[in-house]
Amino acid sequence: MNITRENIDELNAVVKVDITKEDYSGKVEKVLKDYRKNANIPGFRKGHVPMGMVKKQYGKAVLVDEVNKLLQDALNKYLTEEKLDVLGNPLPKEQENFDWDNDTYTFEFELGLSPQFEVSLENKEPITHYKIVAGEEMVENQVKTLQKQYGKLISKEVAEEGDQVTGTFKNEEEGIEAKATLPIEKIKGKKNKDKFIGAKAGDVITVKTKGLFEDDHDLMEFLQVEHDKAHDLDVEVEFTVSEINQQELADLDQELFDKLFGKGEVTSVTELKDKIKEDAAKQFGQQGDQQLLNDVTEMLIENTRFDLPKEFLQKWIQTAGEKELSEEEAREEYEKSEKGLRFQLIEGKLIADHKLEVKFEDLKAFAKDRIREQMAQFGQMNPEEKELDDIAARILSRQDEVKRLSEQLMNQKLLELYKEKVNLEEKEVTYEEFVKEVYQ
């Protein structure tokens, strides 16, 4: 066997593989002998079928199969040994007058080569790193939410503004029959609200779904309809009232503080608000970091220039999926994925240049931190190390979880690299200001 490579240019090459009879004949003979031992052909005892008949019936298929196996193994080994960084997979070139009846075969493959380039983390204009904080209005709303959550429900006979009305939404044609507890404040428009204010248990209220709530997603929750249906739903529904309750807010006292944060951890309303701000800062910190990742990614794509083997990649995209694409479809798919491919290459270069790696011990510690955070959300503040180790071991025994966590950890390492190397400008904003500035 002989393998040679012709470099067309810096991004494209053709690999030529010559296979002779000596390379494959032994493998083919072995397979045919095994076929002969197990062949069941009428008129012959098992294991006594003439080899000529076996070759006539199976020879060509076995030859093609063994040569293709040999070809793939040789090509993969060559790419590894030559340390060729290829994009996509090698594409076989069509060859005229190819004949499986010959003893020697020549195969050619097109290669798309990864470009050589450098990545700089230096930027003249600073990138904004948002430090997102909870504004006073958000803190006050969160205090009220906690008071409602831990408050009492007081049964009432007649519904008033601010009450909760429990009942059943119904529309037989649409298959809607959903029990719901509906805060009157959620209802949109005075006309609709007036139908609920003054209602008593047993009353039947008829309303239109269109414009019933500020957010159509509330229809999903209260009427239990699917997402796509909720956005276009425009029907009348009957709401049969079963009970009315007033939400009495919990007192902002030590009993509530201890329920929320543990005995003696918070002792005043001021400390409660500080705690809310602290928890919000942790949550918003992730959003600020994610935006930083996005902005640095855009900067790197914009500033890191290199060519790609575009024609090769379009040809590869044509045949890479389950269904073969047309040239136009492949071109469109390439244009959609080019930006992502460019950043994959940039990211790979950064990881290599700065020797970033995910070690198993790092991954295990990262997994335990995530588990600890999730347990804290359910009130388990101090789990034992053995429990964390056992859960982490179960998670890390699954390949999909290892892949997901490894990607998250590498993103974290890249984020730390950006914070150290990139020219950043910290900007403190409330969450509302952040949304307005970034998304609007």
Side-chain angles (χ1 to χ4, degrees), residues 3-248:
I3 303 180
T4 56
R5 181 174 84 247
E6 178 188 358
N7 291 326
I8 307 303
D9 54 39
E10 290 183 352
L11 299 173
N12 295 275
V14 173
V15 168
K16 182 179 176 184
V17 184
D18 295 316
I19 296 179
T20 66
K21 188 173 182 178
E22 288 77 16
D23 297 319
Y24 62 80
S25 58
K27 296 178 184 294
V28 172
E29 286 296 322
K30 184 179 183 303
V31 173
L32 289 174
K33 283 178 182 178
D34 290 339
Y35 271 45
R36 187 186 181 212
K37 289 178 187 177
N38 300 300
N40 287 312
I41 297 179
F44 297 94
R45 283 185 298 140
K46 189 175 180 179
H48 291 272
V49 180
M51 181 57 82
M53 185 175 289
V54 173
K55 285 184 177 181
K56 185 176 180 181
Q57 188 165 348
Y58 302 109
K60 181 63 69 69
V62 171
L63 169 68
V64 172
D65 189 43
E66 291 303 314
V67 169
N68 277 323
K69 286 181 187 175
L70 188 66
L71 177 62
Q72 288 303 319
D73 288 345
L75 188 58
N76 290 336
K77 185 179 178 183
Y78 176 80
L79 295 178
T80 302
E81 289 178 348
E82 294 292 312
K83 298 180 180 177
L84 291 177
D85 193 0
V86 298
L87 301 177
N89 292 316
L91 291 177
K93 291 186 69 174
E94 290 187 18
Q95 299 178 68
E96 294 182 7
N97 305 319
F98 184 88
D99 190 352
W100 282 105
D101 290 329
N102 293 333
D103 288 338
T104 60
Y105 311 105
T106 295
F107 301 91
E108 292 184 339
F109 294 87
E110 295 179 64
L111 302 182
L113 305 177
S114 184
Q116 299 297 311
F117 59 91
E118 297 299 324
V119 181
S120 171
L121 290 174
E122 295 180 3
N123 54 309
K124 291 181 181 178
E125 289 296 320
I127 291 176
T128 301
H129 184 202
Y130 291 98
K131 182 182 178 183
I132 309 168
V133 298
E136 290 305 317
E137 185 179 350
M138 178 177 282
V139 172
E140 292 295 338
N141 287 339
Q142 182 61 22
V143 171
K144 283 284 186 292
T145 299
L146 291 171
Q147 286 182 278
K148 285 181 180 179
Q149 186 178 341
Y150 288 88
K152 297 176 183 177
L153 289 177
I154 300 173
S155 180
K156 295 181 64 176
E157 289 188 6
V158 181
E160 296 179 281
E161 184 87 43
D163 289 345
Q164 295 181 359
V165 183
T166 298
T168 303
F169 282 107
K170 196 167 185 179
N171 180 301
E172 289 186 7
E173 288 184 10
E174 295 292 332
I176 295 171
E177 186 169 355
K179 187 173 180 179
T181 296
L182 184 65
I184 291 178
E185 64 194 38
K186 281 268 188 181
I187 299 168
K188 181 182 177 182
K190 186 176 184 303
K191 186 177 178 182
N192 283 330
K193 281 186 179 179
D194 285 346
K195 291 182 179 182
F196 286 84
I197 293 172
K200 300 176 182 179
D203 286 357
V204 179
I205 301 168
T206 302
V207 289
K208 287 189 175 182
T209 57
K210 189 173 180 64
L212 183 58
F213 303 110
E214 290 287 350
D215 189 345
D216 284 343
H217 289 92
D218 286 334
L219 291 173
M220 293 170 57
E221 178 186 348
F222 295 122
L223 273 66
Q224 296 174 25
V225 294
E226 295 178 356
H227 180 273
D228 292 341
K229 187 175 181 179
H231 284 288
D232 299 317
L233 193 63
D234 186 9
V235 296
E236 282 192 342
V237 288
E238 290 183 344
F239 183 80
T240 304
V241 179
S242 59
E243 61 179 278
I244 299 155
N245 292 290
Q246 180 184 20
Q247 181 81 55
E248 184 181 80

Side-chain angles (χ1 to χ4, degrees), residues 26 64 67 139 154 161 170 201 265 273 296 299 369-370 412 426 429:
V64 172
V67 169
V139 172
I154 300 173
E161 184 87 43
K170 196 167 185 179
E265 290 295 317
K273 291 181 178 181
V296 174
M299 181 270 287
D369 285 343
R370 291 291 176 270
Q412 191 178 87
E426 189 174 277
V429 291

Side-chain angles (χ1 to χ4, degrees), residues 380-407:
Q380 295 175 265
M381 306 306 293
N382 296 299
E384 294 183 2
E385 281 299 310
K386 186 179 184 306
E387 185 179 10
L388 292 171
D389 285 334
D390 290 344
I391 297 172
R394 287 199 298 273
I395 291 172
L396 296 176
S397 68
R398 292 160 45 191
Q399 267 319 107
D400 59 333
E401 284 297 315
V402 170
K403 182 175 183 294
R404 184 179 67 84
L405 289 170
S406 295
E407 288 173 354

Side-chain angles (χ1 to χ4, degrees), residues 167-339:
T168 303
F169 282 107
K170 196 167 185 179
N171 180 301
E172 289 186 7
E173 288 184 10
E174 295 292 332
I176 295 171
E177 186 169 355
K179 187 173 180 179
T181 296
L182 184 65
I184 291 178
E185 64 194 38
K186 281 268 188 181
I187 299 168
K188 181 182 177 182
K190 186 176 184 303
K191 186 177 178 182
N192 283 330
K193 281 186 179 179
D194 285 346
K195 291 182 179 182
F196 286 84
I197 293 172
K200 300 176 182 179
D203 286 357
V204 179
I205 301 168
T206 302
V207 289
K208 287 189 175 182
T209 57
K210 189 173 180 64
L212 183 58
F213 303 110
E214 290 287 350
D215 189 345
D216 284 343
H217 289 92
D218 286 334
L219 291 173
M220 293 170 57
E221 178 186 348
F222 295 122
L223 273 66
Q224 296 174 25
V225 294
E226 295 178 356
H227 180 273
D228 292 341
K229 187 175 181 179
H231 284 288
D232 299 317
L233 193 63
D234 186 9
V235 296
E236 282 192 342
V237 288
E238 290 183 344
F239 183 80
T240 304
V241 179
S242 59
E243 61 179 278
I244 299 155
N245 292 290
Q246 180 184 20
Q247 181 81 55
E248 184 181 80
L249 299 182
D251 290 332
L252 294 173
D253 55 17
Q254 194 60 48
E255 182 182 353
L256 176 62
F257 302 153
D258 290 347
K259 282 181 183 178
L260 290 170
F261 303 106
K263 192 168 182 62
E265 290 295 317
V266 169
T267 58
S268 67
V269 174
T270 300
E271 288 181 13
L272 169 65
K273 291 181 178 181
D274 288 343
K275 190 71 174 174
I276 290 171
K277 289 178 182 179
E278 181 185 323
D279 291 343
K282 290 178 184 176
Q283 178 187 342
F284 293 149
Q286 295 176 1
Q287 288 180 270
D289 284 346
Q290 184 58 55
Q291 187 59 41
L292 176 60
L293 277 172
N294 295 344
D295 290 340
V296 174
T297 296
E298 291 295 327
M299 181 270 287
L300 290 171
I301 292 172
E302 179 68 26
N303 293 349
T304 310
R305 299 291 183 177
F306 54 83
D307 293 325
L308 290 169
K310 182 177 178 179
E311 291 182 7
F312 168 84
L313 288 170
Q314 288 179 5
K315 285 169 68 175
W316 174 68
I317 288 171
Q318 267 189 276
T319 57
E322 292 181 8
K323 177 187 172 185
E324 186 164 339
L325 304 180
S326 67
E327 286 187 19
E328 184 177 345
E329 288 172 330
R331 186 164 53 251
E332 290 174 358
E333 191 64 31
Y334 171 78
E335 288 171 359
K336 284 191 288 186
S337 60
E338 182 185 357
K339 192 173 181 180

